[in-house]
Amino acid sequence: WTLDNWSQNPVIDRILRVDHAGEFGANRIYAGQMAVLGRSSVGPLIQQMWNQEKDHLKKFNELMVAYRVRPTVLLPFWNVAGFVLGAGSALLGKKGAMACTVAVEESISEHYNNQIRTLIEEDPEKYKELLQVIKQFRDDEQEHHDIGLEHDAEAAPAYSVLKTAIQLGCKVAIFLSERI
């Protein structure tokens, strides 16, 4: 038993806590979309993206333990909110689900880019593994974003309003999950 990995760094605590919460929320969003659209033509595509999110969450679960970071107290709320967002967007149809994916993944990609910059400023050698993980996950999220656009996200009803509202929700979720 050692404390070698123990972060003792509020920046790392904050990054791991919010990323764990984000991947948890993403899993719940895809679960909600699958509950509504799982048997439709877009079901396999949603499942494919969800499977990647499951891998992301598994990795952040491991990192939370390795760095001894507590999860956000808001996980029970994100559990419900994520599912409701996923199912709600899917009730608008395939385009609604894809609009949700584009909005969320764009927010997350931007968020991961900010974290990459922070870690490079902190100590790129010390946080090499974490940087690799975040860069890989950012690339995956960007791919999901692009898949959403390719599948008519922008043709969703009230796309810009929907996107703006979801991205505002993401910003609030990120702000809160970093802190509590």
Side-chain angles (χ1 to χ4, degrees):
W1 189 80
T2 73
L3 291 178
D4 293 346
N5 271 345
W6 196 30
S7 103
Q8 292 183 318
N9 179 336
V11 172
I12 300 305
D13 288 0
R14 184 178 268 202
I15 285 174
L16 291 176
R17 182 174 304 113
V18 72
D19 290 357
H20 174 262
E23 296 298 349
F24 179 84
N27 269 272
R28 298 304 296 150
I29 290 168
Y30 284 116
Q33 289 184 351
M34 283 301 287
V36 176
L37 294 173
R39 296 199 169 153
S40 73
S41 62
V42 78
L45 184 65
I46 294 170
Q47 185 65 57
Q48 176 195 330
M49 293 189 286
W50 187 14
N51 288 342
Q52 281 188 304
E53 300 297 350
K54 287 177 184 177
D55 291 341
H56 295 180
L57 181 58
K58 182 173 182 273
K59 182 62 179 177
F60 276 114
N61 280 331
E62 291 165 7
L63 289 169
M64 295 286 280
V65 172
Y67 285 91
R68 293 176 172 77
V69 176
R70 67 159 180 82
T72 175
V73 298
L74 296 169
L75 280 186
F77 179 74
W78 301 145
N79 183 25
V80 175
F83 190 90
V84 168
L85 176 58
S89 65
L91 287 170
L92 298 173
K94 175 188 136 178
K95 293 170 185 168
M98 292 297 140
C100 175
T101 296
V102 167
V104 170
E105 302 294 22
E106 188 175 287
S107 295
I108 300 310
S109 294
E110 184 184 314
H111 175 67
Y112 277 155
N113 279 331
N114 291 337
Q115 289 183 342
I116 290 163
R117 279 189 288 277
T118 299
L119 289 170
I120 288 171
E121 287 164 13
E122 282 278 314
D123 187 340
E125 200 46 49
K126 184 177 179 184
Y127 300 119
K128 194 168 140 183
E129 183 205 0
L130 189 52
L131 273 164
Q132 285 175 323
V133 168
I134 293 174
K135 284 177 184 174
Q136 176 59 55
F137 291 0
R138 185 241 1 239
D139 293 348
D140 292 346
E141 309 303 3
Q142 190 60 51
E143 184 189 349
H144 298 170
H145 168 271
D146 296 346
I147 288 168
L149 288 178
E150 287 161 20
H151 288 83
D152 305 318
E154 292 166 309
Y159 173 74
S160 63
V161 174
L162 190 63
K163 184 179 175 198
T164 302
I166 291 170
Q167 289 187 326
L168 177 63
C170 287
K171 280 185 172 57
V172 170
I174 288 167
F175 179 86
L176 293 173
S177 293
E178 280 178 336
R179 289 162 175 81
I180 57 176

